[in-house]
């Protein structure tokens, strides 16, 4: 992260990745009432273009480079040291690409059923916020983006969700707000304390991280204030209970985005802000975070096993999977942190795909209750086959994407967090238990009347899932292109932490 | 030629992919022929690789073929690489060979099944995974295959997924295997931590050079043994295997008898230098677990009435013998028995499948009898399999079992007694099975109606495509022992072949009492086998002795039931308690806080229920205001 390279580009691609969906959102909202068809077209165009840009970004990214690329740095509120500072490095690259691709897939692939234009407008606003959060290198900008995300997500859950959607949306909103209140205080304090070292006021993350030294005590308080916000967002045990409600009540599109990219704002935040700004405090807090992460892995898996609602089950599996990521983040070895970043992306792909499939089940059967479902494999073998691949990816089968991140995290954490790692590895056993048991109850057996007419996957759904299955297999078999882009940034990140904690 | 090593696993993978693309179009039986050809060509390629290695000097019989860099992160550099050496090629030979035969057989067995082509996709994928397992140059590639065979096993056990028992058995197998995989994963972490590599070459070299401390070696070996216990169905993790018989019989023959379940034995042989430098009690543990499992499973087999379950317990028992061999430092004997066992156990399973096929899916031996008359070829080949497993000379099983027992005696006479009692029981229960199925009264006449055939029901012989593999396997079960005959050093072909891999760790028993009296032990083994057979004849054929089939043995010493009760009882209760804790305590506190806040700000309750949008908007506006205010203060300060 040292030596952020400022690129003179003819085209400010990172700004475009934020502004394009933002403009799209406004256009869709304005067109919404009168010209629904045009609005839909605008939503498609905006999201697909953003997706294409993110893929171009992936192609243009220089893989040996550890620093920030495509940097866009303009003074915004100059007297407060606030700037429009965006940059992408190996740690954020794939999250940006994931957000770039997932949104058009959701917008194209999932029918919201009612109030389409406002749904699309919120989706695009959400995408702008997520993109901004993953690229922001300015604390103020980050906070704004981090908070912007809440509003569309709130409306997406509350407006297009199921029976308990209002309760779930409110819980999501208040919980996350409460968390970010701590962060806000933390940001203000960080900036004002950093001023003493730097001699000027700045919200720039890189400048603060490289230039400012905080007293041990201050750094700990600051770290904790950031950590609370991120812990809620991840979510870490015991502040996770908003997640199953939000997931269960959100519409399919909402769940896919929530699991796919939103939760990563927490794990990413830990890396980019928590550990990067306060390395010593992060080392100090390590045992607690290791413990919470590992408790999440085991606890999430156990609670997932006992769920009766298929969507809740997948939601709890997220708690378990994200526990691995936090473990890897704080283990601070090359393998563990790289694994954590890989796992962020892979969890987005696998769990996103699982939510899509559960959504398809709901579309057909109008229920998520496991006990209402049975024998689906008999009625829809292709659907079952796709579900199996995604399930095995989530279980962490070698050769599929889920294994790569999980294995790297565990093998990389073994040195610095031996016993935690051993306990976390038990989670790998439990993952097989809850998913296979659910699969058995939902897909195996003789279908009863309601389930025997379960429709096979259609062409549109099939194409949508083909993208996911393709990524799942490719990343599992040949992760090198992914790893070699992430690793340099991770290594310089670790060097930074080590230089500060030595 | 060895640089084309990747063809060996690639061919079955290509077969699977082709069948995924076109299997339904090809249909029954052509998709089966496609899969069989893929495996056959893979076998032929392995034969070429074998001769290539054979042509080299013994110490140069090792070739690493790196395909691409798989997981390169920092100091961890894992290649997707294959290793051809005498051990991996031996494994590949019998895996591809037996697989080809079983594929062929399955064309007949699965004929008419609605999911015919899907079966062959899974079967091909299994062979691919198994080959990755044995050809892997490092622990991670092996682990890829290891998990892959587990997944295929899961898919194939629950192949007839509308049957609840099949679905349960598949899940049970996968989850139990995963418990073992936990051990393998931690072993990999340890290996990386202490050796800095997952490559077998590096790990074994470190052990050889004394760079791997005994305590680390012990931990790695023990953890890999935990994995082996899961995969190879040893105590205390054996209980998934008998249930795995829910799968179609070719699956039982291929995965749950000949190949996959021997992976644990292979893995320990692969890392034998590590086992060698670990504390001595590790080997003893392996031997004791193996011996206990061998005896335990053999006693259960005595009381089983399901034709396949007898063979399943017998497999558990024979695998126990292989671990007993490993623990006694008899690596060559373990591999020897693994290969001969693959021949005769595949033969017996396929024979039982032929019987089940002919009996219209009847598996209860009490409803069989005198089948040799209506199924002559199945009967004849099954009898050869029986003689081989019972330890009758000169059939294959006799030589390999004898070799193991020889080494076991040198290690510990107590374990030898366990081994010889197991041998006695094996001869006994297998004779019982042969009598119940192929001799005696034709009891199927009384049960005709149950098989869906009204009136006259006559079991029929299986089609030729199923009989051909039986004949080939029975020939192999007769002559398989020729790989390693005890009479002269020159006849120890397998030992010389495997020497570069296991030489150092192999126990040296030349000067022991057992070795000097090996012909005496040989005779004793023959006597024991004969005794077992005679005893079973007296009980089941001549009815001279009363039938002794205690319920406790039929119920597998209540072990499986006890495990099930713990899982369903305290296990489920704990899980439920934690789920309750989450829903009521953790979330309860959250909602409680919410309630308090709401009742304090009573007027907001209306907004909560009615004006959600306004409410949220207010919050966001509030947030912005607070933000601005704090910001101002923060900067001004």
């Amino acid at each position: 992260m040292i030596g952020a390279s400022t690129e003179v580009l003819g085209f400010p691609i990172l700004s475009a990745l934020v502004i394009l969906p933002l403009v799209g959102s406004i256009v869709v909202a304005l067109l919404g009432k009168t010209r629904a068809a045009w609005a839909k077209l605008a939503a498609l165009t905006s999201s697909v273009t953003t997706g294409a840009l993110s893929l171009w970004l992936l192609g243009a990214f220089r893989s040996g480079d550890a620093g920030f690329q495509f940097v866009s740095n303009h003074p915004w509120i100059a007297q407060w040291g606030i700037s429009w500072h965006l940059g992408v490095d190996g740690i954020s690259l794939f999250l940006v690409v994931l957000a770039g691709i997932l949104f058009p897939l959701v917008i194209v692939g999932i029918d919201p059923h009612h109030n389409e234009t406002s749904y699309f407008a919120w989706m695009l606003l959400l995408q702008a916020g997520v993109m901004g959060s993953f690229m922001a290198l300015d604390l103020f900008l980050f906070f704004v983006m981090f908070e912007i995300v809440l509003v569309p997500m709130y409306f997406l859950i509350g407006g297009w969700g199921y029976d308990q959607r209002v309760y779930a949306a409110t819980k999501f909103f208040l919980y996350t707000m409460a968390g970010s209140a701590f962060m806000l205080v933390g940001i203000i304090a960080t900036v004002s304390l950093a001023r003493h070292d730097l001699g000027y006021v700045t919200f720039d993350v890189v400048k603060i991280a490289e230039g400012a030294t905080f007293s041990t005590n201050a750094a700990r308080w600051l770290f904790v204030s950031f950590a609370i916000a991120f812990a809620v967002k991840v979510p870490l045990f015991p502040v996770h209970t908003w997640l199953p409600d939000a997931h269960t009540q959100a519409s399919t599109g909402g769940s896919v985005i929530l699991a796919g990219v939103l939760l990563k704002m927490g794990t990413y935040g830990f890396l980019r802000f928590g550990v990067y700004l306060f390395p010593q405090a992060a080392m100090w807090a390590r045992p607690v975070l290791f413990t919470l992460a590992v408790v999440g892995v085991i606890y999430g898996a156990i609670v997932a096993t006992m769920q009766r609602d298929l969507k809740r089950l997948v939601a709890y599996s997220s708690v378990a999977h994200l526990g691995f990521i936090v473990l890897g983040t704080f283990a601070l070895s090359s393998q563990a942190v790289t694994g954590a970043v890989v796992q962020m992306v892979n969890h987005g792909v696998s769990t996103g795909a699982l939510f899509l499939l559960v959504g398809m089940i709901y579309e057909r059967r109008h229920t998520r209750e496991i006990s209402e479902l049975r024998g689906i494999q008999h009625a829809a073998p292709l659907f079952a086959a796709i579900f199996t691949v995604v399930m095995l990816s989530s279980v962490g089968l070698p050769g599929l994407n889920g294994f790569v991140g999980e294995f790297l995290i565990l093998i990389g954490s073994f040195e610095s967090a031996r016993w935690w790692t051993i306990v976390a590895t038990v989670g790998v056993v439990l993952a097989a238990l809850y998913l296979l048991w659910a699969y058995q109850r939902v897909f195996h057996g003789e279908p009863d009347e309601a389930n025997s007419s379960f429709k096979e996957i259609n062409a549109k759904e099939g194409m949508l899932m083909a993208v996911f299955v393709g990524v799942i297999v490719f990343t599992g078999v040949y992760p090198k292109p992914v790893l070699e882009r992430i690793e340099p940034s991770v290594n310089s990140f670790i060097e930074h932490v080590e230089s500060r904690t030595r | 030629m060895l640089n084309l090593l990747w063809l060996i696993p690639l061919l079955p993978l290509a077969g699977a992919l082709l069948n995924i693309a076109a299997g339904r179009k090809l249909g029954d039986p052509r998709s089966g022929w496609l899969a069989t050809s893929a495996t056959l060509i893979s076998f032929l390629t392995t034969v070429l690789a074998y001769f290539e290695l054979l042509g080299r000097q013994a110490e140069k019989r090792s070739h690493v073929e790196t395909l691409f860099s798989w997981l390169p992160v920092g100091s961890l550099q894992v290649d997707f690489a294959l290793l051809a050496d005498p051990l991996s090629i031996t494994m590949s030979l019998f895996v591809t060979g037996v697989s080809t035969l079983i594929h062929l057989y399955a064309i007949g067995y699965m004929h008419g099944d609605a999911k015919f082509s899907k079966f062959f996709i899974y079967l091909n994928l299994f062979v691919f995974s198994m080959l990755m397992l044995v050809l892997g140059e490092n622990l991670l590639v092996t682990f890829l295959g290891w998990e892959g065979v587990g997944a295929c096993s899961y898919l194939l056990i629950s192949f007839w997924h509308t049957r609840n028992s099949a679905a349960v058995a598949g899940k049970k197998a996968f989850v139990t295997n995963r418990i073992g995989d936990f051990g393998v994963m931690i072993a990999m972490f340890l290996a990386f931590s202490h050796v800095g590599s997952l490559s077998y070459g590096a790990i074994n070299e470190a052990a050889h050079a004394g760079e791997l401390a005994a305590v680390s070696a012990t931990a790695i070996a023990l953890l890999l043994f935990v994995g082996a216990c899961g995969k190879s169905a040893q105590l205390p993790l054996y209980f998934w295997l008998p249930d795995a018989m829910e799968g179609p019989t070719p699956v039982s023959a291929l995965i749950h008898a000949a190949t996959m379940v021997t992976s644990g034995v292979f893995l320990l042989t692969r890392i034998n230098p590590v086992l060698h430098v670990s504390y001595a009690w590790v080997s003893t543990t392996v031997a004791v677990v193996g011996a206990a499992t061998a005896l335990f499973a053999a006693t259960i087999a005595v009381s089983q009435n399901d034709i396949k379950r007898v063979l399943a317990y017998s497999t558990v028992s024979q695998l126990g013998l292989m671990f007993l061999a490993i623990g006694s430092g008899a690596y060559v004997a373990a591999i020897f028995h693994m290969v001969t066992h693959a021949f005769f156990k595949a033969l017996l399973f396929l024979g039982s499948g032929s019987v089940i096929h002919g009996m219209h899916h009847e598996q209860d031996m009490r409803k069989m009898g005198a089948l040799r008359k209506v199924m002559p070829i199945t009967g004849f080949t099954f009898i050869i399999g029986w003689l081989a497993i019972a330890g009758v000379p000169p059939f294959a099983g006799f030589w390999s079992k004898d070799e193991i027992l020889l080494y076991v005696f040198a290690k510990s006479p107590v374990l030898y007694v366990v081994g010889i009692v197991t041998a006695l029981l094996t001869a006994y229960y297998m004779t019982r099975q042969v009598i119940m199925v192929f001799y005696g009264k034709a009891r199927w006449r009384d049960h005709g109606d149950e098989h869906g055939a009204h009136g006259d029901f006559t079991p029929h012989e299986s089609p030729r495509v199923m009989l051909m593999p039986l004949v080939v396997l029975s020939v192999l079960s007769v002559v398989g022992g020729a790989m390693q005959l005890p009479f002269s050093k020159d006849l120890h072909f397998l030992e010389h072949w495997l020497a570069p891999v296991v030489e150092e760790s192999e126990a040296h028993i030349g000067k022991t009492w057992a070795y000097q009296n090996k012909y005496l032990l040989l005779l004793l083994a023959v006597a024991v086998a004969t005794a077992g057979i005679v005893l079973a004849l007296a009980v089941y054929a001549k009815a001279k002795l009363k039938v002794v089939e205690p319920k406790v043995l039929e119920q597998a010493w209540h072990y499986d039931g006890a495990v099930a009760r713990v899982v369903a009882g305290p296990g489920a209760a704990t899980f439920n308690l934690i789920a309750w804790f989450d829903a009521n305590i953790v979330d309860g506190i959250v909602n409680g806080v919410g309630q308090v806040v709401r009742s304090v700000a009573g007027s907001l309750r209306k907004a909560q229920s009615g004006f959600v949008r306004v409410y949220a908007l207010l919050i966001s506006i509030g947030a912005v205001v607070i933000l601005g205010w704090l910001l101002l203060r923060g900067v001004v300060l």
Side-chain angles (χ1 to χ4, degrees), chain A residues 80 143 154-155 167 171 173 195 240-241 299 306 316 335 395 398 410 415 428 437 440 444-445 476 479 487, chain B residues 70 73-75 144 147 161 167-168 171 178 182 189 193 576 582 587 591 612-613 616 619 627 631-632 634 637:
Chain A
W80 292 349
F143 187 76
Y154 170 82
F155 285 112
Y167 166 74
K171 191 170 179 178
F173 197 98
R195 193 176 61 162
H240 64 276
T241 57
Y299 180 91
M306 302 322 286
Y316 274 103
Q335 293 83 23
V395 165
L410 291 171
E415 207 60 44
V428 177
W437 192 33
Q440 178 203 326
H444 286 154
E487 200 201 338
Chain B
W70 189 15
V73 181
S75 51
L144 169 82
E147 291 282 285
H161 54 81
V168 173
K171 179 195 63 188
R178 275 247 152 168
F182 168 81
F189 305 157
S193 162
N576 268 320
D582 187 68
D587 200 31
N591 284 332
V612 191
R613 280 152 192 261
I619 293 178
L627 179 104
L631 207 71
L632 221 63
L637 264 171

Side-chain angles (χ1 to χ4, degrees), chain A residues 114 151-162 164-170 172 249-251, chain B residues 612-613:
Chain A
H114 61 88
V151 180
M153 197 66 227
Y154 170 82
F155 285 112
L156 284 169
I157 298 173
W160 286 265
Y162 303 117
Q164 301 280 311
R165 58 182 181 272
V166 175
Y167 166 74
T170 313
F172 160 76
Q249 297 307 325
S251 66
Chain B
V612 191
R613 280 152 192 261

Side-chain angles (χ1 to χ4, degrees), chain A residues 79-80 82 140 143-144 147 151 154-155 159 166-167 170-171 173-175 177 184-185 188 192 195 201 203 237-238 240-242 245 299 302-303 305-307 316 334-335 338 377-378 381-382 388 391-392 395-399 403-404 407-408 410-411 414-415 418 421-422 425-426 428-433 436-437 439-440 443-447 476-480 483 487, chain B residues 24 68-78 80 115 118 122 140 143-145 147-148 151 154-155 158-159 161-164 166-168 170-171 174-175 178-179 181-182 185-186 188-190 192-194 198 572 574-576 578-579 581-583 586-587 590-591 598 608-609 611-617 619-620 622-623 626-628 630-637:
Chain A
Q79 66 269 38
W80 292 349
I82 294 171
F140 181 82
F143 187 76
V144 169
E147 291 299 286
V151 180
Y154 170 82
F155 285 112
V166 175
Y167 166 74
T170 313
K171 191 170 179 178
F173 197 98
L174 293 179
Y175 221 133
M177 273 297 284
L184 180 59
V185 176
I188 309 295
S192 42
R195 193 176 61 162
V201 175
F203 279 75
F237 174 88
H240 64 276
T241 57
W242 65 268
D245 285 320
Y299 180 91
I302 290 176
V303 180
T305 313
M306 302 322 286
Q307 294 305 312
Y316 274 103
S334 184
Q335 293 83 23
T338 305
Q377 187 172 347
H378 188 72
L382 188 57
T388 306
M391 169 178 81
L392 291 175
V395 165
L397 195 79
F403 177 73
V404 177
F407 183 77
L408 286 175
L410 291 171
I411 201 165
F414 190 69
E415 207 60 44
R418 179 152 301 192
T421 303
I422 290 173
T425 310
V426 175
V428 177
V429 180
L430 292 173
L433 179 66
L436 262 63
W437 192 33
Y439 187 88
Q440 178 203 326
F443 284 89
H444 286 154
E446 197 82 60
V477 175
Y478 194 56
K480 188 170 167 242
L483 298 175
E487 200 201 338
Chain B
R24 284 199 199 187
F68 54 85
S69 169
W70 189 15
L71 285 184
V73 181
S75 51
L76 178 74
Q77 294 291 330
V78 185
F80 208 93
K115 299 193 293 166
K118 189 180 253 180
Y122 292 164
L140 204 64
F143 192 64
L144 169 82
E147 291 282 285
Y154 162 72
L155 293 169
S158 45
F159 187 74
H161 54 81
T162 49
R163 271 206 326 234
N164 196 39
V168 173
K171 179 195 63 188
F174 195 85
V175 174
R178 275 247 152 168
I179 298 174
D181 299 346
F182 168 81
M185 289 190 79
I186 306 282
M188 281 194 277
F189 305 157
L190 274 170
F192 176 58
S193 162
H194 290 277
L198 297 179
T574 311
F575 272 43
N576 268 320
I578 292 171
F581 173 80
D582 187 68
V586 179
D587 200 31
V590 174
N591 284 332
R598 219 185 304 175
Q608 160 68 16
S609 54
F611 306 97
V612 191
R613 280 152 192 261
V614 180
Y615 182 49
L617 210 63
I619 293 178
S620 25
I626 296 170
L627 179 104
L630 277 174
L631 207 71
L632 221 63
R633 280 199 50 156
V635 177
V636 170
L637 264 171

Side-chain angles (χ1 to χ4, degrees), chain B residues 471-518:
Chain B
V471 173
V472 176
L473 284 169
S474 61
V475 172
L476 290 169
S477 301
V478 176
V479 303
M483 281 183 268
Q484 173 93 346
L485 291 172
F487 306 111
S488 146
K489 274 276 176 208
D490 297 335
L491 293 174
H492 292 193
F493 300 113
L494 192 64
E495 190 176 315
H496 297 310
W497 167 243
L498 288 176
V501 184
V502 299
E503 205 170 24
E504 253 180 86
S505 318
E506 190 80 0
H508 300 288
I509 60 165
K511 297 206 170 67
T512 59
W513 183 90
Y515 189 77
Q516 279 146 9
N517 296 279
K518 64 178 179 179

